[in-house]
Amino acid sequence: MGGSPPPPSIVYSPAPPPPPPPTPVPTQSFQTQTALNETSGAQQRLNMELGAQLDRTNSEFFAGQDARRYQAQGTEQRLSYAAAGEQERASTGARGEQERLGIAATGTEQRAGIAATGQEERLGIAATGTEQRAAIGKTAGEQRLTDLQQEMFRRYKENRDYEQSQQQYRT
């Protein structure tokens, strides 16, 4: 059979030569960066000090502003309460006046109604009295007539009895 081909051969390339050692070059970048960092730090400290001072100044100013604002609000509120109280007193006075006028009108109407009722009652009582007097007069007239009739009947009977007794005496 034939044989198998020979294995491939691997060829390695040679390693590159080592890099040359760094050559120190004198530079000012480190000193410049250090100076820049110091300047930046000083600027930040100054900014923070000024910011804190500004915050204190603002705090004092706005605390005063707040106090003045609260005082102004309090003054406005007191004035508002005073105006509302004044309006309420005026409204209450007007309402009281209206109620008194209404009560007076109602009283006048009630008195007029009572007077009319009293007048009608007096007229009714007077009419009743007139009717009663007429009825009593009629009753009295009838009673007198009845009494007169009874008296006349009594006299008739007495006279008849007398005549009968006289007649019997003569006989």
Side-chain angles (χ1 to χ4, degrees):
M1 264 207 249
S4 55
S9 66
I10 299 175
V11 178
Y12 292 103
S13 57
T23 309
V25 177
T27 178
Q28 292 183 338
S29 71
F30 179 73
Q31 293 170 346
T32 305
Q33 189 64 38
T34 303
L36 184 61
N37 285 344
E38 288 176 6
T39 304
S40 174
Q43 184 67 41
Q44 282 181 346
R45 280 190 301 281
L46 180 62
N47 285 345
M48 287 192 301
E49 287 175 10
L50 288 174
Q53 183 180 2
L54 183 61
D55 285 345
R56 284 190 299 274
T57 303
N58 283 342
S59 176
E60 291 173 11
F61 174 75
F62 287 119
Q65 285 291 92
D66 288 343
R68 285 188 293 278
R69 182 176 59 232
Y70 294 141
Q71 287 173 345
Q73 286 175 349
T75 302
E76 288 176 9
Q77 199 170 27
R78 282 189 298 277
L79 289 174
S80 171
Y81 287 153
E86 191 66 32
Q87 290 173 354
E88 181 67 25
R89 283 188 294 278
S91 173
T92 301
R95 189 172 43 250
E97 184 66 27
Q98 291 297 321
E99 286 179 13
R100 286 189 292 279
L101 289 174
I103 290 169
T106 302
T108 301
E109 291 173 5
Q110 285 178 344
R111 284 190 294 280
I114 290 169
T117 302
Q119 184 67 27
E120 290 174 8
E121 284 182 19
R122 285 190 293 281
L123 289 174
I125 291 170
T128 302
T130 302
E131 291 172 4
Q132 285 179 345
R133 283 190 295 280
I136 291 171
K138 186 175 181 183
T139 303
E142 291 173 357
Q143 183 67 40
R144 282 192 297 274
L145 183 61
T146 302
D147 288 347
L148 181 61
Q149 288 173 348
Q150 286 177 348
E151 180 65 22
M152 288 175 64
F153 183 72
R154 186 188 62 76
R155 285 183 185 179
Y156 163 77
K157 280 176 63 180
E158 279 182 6
N159 192 27
R160 189 186 68 185
D161 287 346
Y162 177 74
E163 285 183 10
Q164 285 178 354
S165 70
Q166 286 293 322
Q167 202 176 22
Q168 280 183 359
Y169 176 75
R170 290 185 207 149
T171 40

